[in-house]
Amino acid sequence: MLAVQDQRRKRPSFLIPFLFEVLEVIMIWTVFAIAEASLDITQWSSISYLLALIWFFYTIHKLQKVLSRQNLHHWRQ
């Protein structure tokens, strides 16, 4: 188990942050679908569009911060 964690530290994963981004976009859609009582995004109110857009840009900002921190370490063994 410890060896697996060491490999993750040496090789950054770019798949995991994008997976979380997709899941958060699905969560945004689900939350506003429940709030608007409609799965159809074209029937939502303008305030829901605005709040969903702000939330979406916030998740993009978080993704950029996570990706900027990931770098490949060249440690000596």
Side-chain angles (χ1 to χ4, degrees):
M1 184 71 174
L2 188 59
V4 173
Q5 290 177 352
D6 288 342
Q7 287 297 325
R8 279 192 70 140
R9 290 178 186 217
K10 289 181 183 178
R11 296 185 188 146
S13 173
F14 292 102
L15 179 66
I16 301 295
F18 284 106
L19 178 65
F20 275 102
E21 178 70 22
V22 168
L23 290 173
E24 193 157 2
V25 168
I26 292 171
M27 184 177 67
I28 292 169
W29 177 70
T30 304
V31 166
F32 285 104
I34 291 171
E36 291 287 332
S38 173
L39 293 175
D40 186 11
I41 196 169
T42 61
Q43 296 178 357
W44 292 359
S45 66
S46 59
I47 190 72
S48 292
Y49 286 134
L50 179 65
L51 292 175
L53 193 63
I54 291 170
W55 192 355
F56 176 74
F57 283 130
Y58 176 68
T59 62
I60 294 293
H61 175 70
K62 288 193 310 185
L63 177 66
Q64 287 175 341
K65 286 180 72 173
V66 167
L67 291 177
S68 70
R69 286 185 301 194
Q70 296 203 12
N71 51 7
L72 188 60
H73 297 286
H74 299 285
W75 293 331
R76 295 183 187 184
Q77 295 184 5

